[in-house]
Amino acid sequence: NAGVTQTPKFQVLKTGQSMTLQCAQDMNHEYMSWYRQDPGMGLRLIHYSVGAGITDQGEVPNGYNVSRSTTEDFPLRLLSAAPSQTSVYFCASIGKSSSGANVLTFGAGSRLTVL
Amino acid sequence: AQSVTQLDSQVPVFEEAPVELRCNYSSSVSVYLFWYVQYPNQGLQLLLKYLSGSTLVKGINGFEAEFNKSQTSFHLRKPSVHISDTAEYFCAVSDEGFKTIFGAGTRLFVKA
């Protein structure tokens, strides 16, 4: 099992450009989410999905779009990048542990710089 | 709405000394509590979790945490730290759904 795979690992954009961060999981998890990590602010939830065709906003959704056409994939789109979106982005696949709680499995992260 | 407060942004400690990383949460419903660890230039991995039952939870690498409902706390402890424990530690809370909210993180520096 590969777990959660994120691409690209690094990306530099100019202000106003668009791009998509890819996330794929092979654990058949229904739930997936995107976080951004910034110094001193921990991880903040951007968007999440409870299953194919269903998405919802997290704590900081502005400037980001998501879709969930399959169980495996959950791409994050930046339609018009801004310097404030410079961050490290983590995708997390959420599965039930043997005890029933939702335990996050994280991808390795994508470091995005917007100039 | 849920929230998590990690009371210390940085904790320096000497090797083999004990350490406590503090976490307080707020929630209007029953919650699950977690500690995740992020080693330098890596992703996050689960350290331990509290679901129900015994308030003292043991995790990997000798860490443990105690759930205190009256104080809404979930502090992380280790009796003797190693250089390899240098990392950032995140406290997190989720409800019976999947939405997980994180604290701002605590950087643990273990000095020789």
Side-chain angles (χ1 to χ4, degrees):
Chain A
N1 283 344
V4 179
T5 303
Q6 289 183 234
T7 56
K9 293 190 184 302
F10 301 94
Q11 183 71 51
V12 179
L13 291 177
K14 293 181 180 179
T15 297
Q17 287 185 316
S18 63
M19 78 156 299
T20 299
L21 298 177
Q22 301 290 345
C23 176
Q25 53 91 10
D26 61 358
M27 297 172 286
N28 202 32
H29 287 168
E30 289 295 320
Y31 307 127
M32 297 183 74
S33 56
W34 277 100
Y35 291 87
R36 59 177 290 174
Q37 182 179 19
D38 302 290
M41 304 189 76
L43 280 80
R44 293 180 292 170
L45 182 64
I46 304 172
H47 285 286
Y48 60 94
S49 168
V50 300
I54 306 169
T55 63
D56 206 344
Q57 296 180 346
E59 301 169 276
V60 287
N62 292 340
Y64 306 95
N65 282 347
V66 292
S67 60
R68 185 90 180 274
S69 57
T70 68
T71 299
E72 294 78 20
D73 299 299
F74 190 44
L76 179 71
R77 297 183 183 86
L78 285 71
L79 298 179
S80 179
S84 61
Q85 294 178 303
T86 293
S87 187
V88 179
Y89 292 85
F90 287 98
C91 179
S93 172
I94 306 169
K96 294 281 188 182
S97 72
S98 58
S99 303
N102 295 326
V103 178
L104 289 164
T105 300
F106 283 88
S110 298
R111 184 175 295 275
L112 174 66
T113 301
V114 183
L115 302 176
Chain B
Q2 300 154 337
S3 67
V4 177
T5 302
Q6 291 185 241
L7 299 165
D8 306 292
S9 60
Q10 296 185 64
V11 174
V13 63
F14 285 102
E15 193 173 20
E16 298 184 5
V19 70
E20 178 180 81
L21 306 183
R22 297 179 293 169
C23 172
N24 286 94
Y25 71 93
S26 67
S27 176
S28 58
V29 298
S30 297
V31 296
Y32 301 135
L33 295 161
F34 307 83
W35 277 97
Y36 288 84
V37 59
Q38 184 179 33
Y39 297 104
N41 300 313
Q42 295 187 25
L44 282 82
Q45 58 182 287
L46 181 70
L47 198 58
L48 51 78
K49 61 184 184 289
Y50 171 79
L51 310 176
S52 63
S54 173
T55 57
L56 185 62
V57 179
K58 293 189 183 298
I60 61 172
N61 300 337
F63 283 93
E64 62 182 30
E66 186 162 16
F67 170 61
N68 188 318
K69 188 174 182 179
S70 62
Q71 297 185 4
T72 60
S73 67
F74 191 55
H75 300 333
L76 181 70
R77 302 185 183 98
K78 186 170 183 178
S80 176
V81 294
H82 302 288
I83 295 288
S84 60
D85 292 322
T86 294
E88 190 157 20
Y89 293 80
F90 294 93
C91 183
V93 61
S94 76
D95 57 21
E96 290 192 1
F98 70 96
K99 188 175 178 181
T100 303
I101 302 300
F102 286 82
T106 298
R107 288 190 176 274
L108 175 64
F109 295 100
V110 181
K111 301 177 287 186

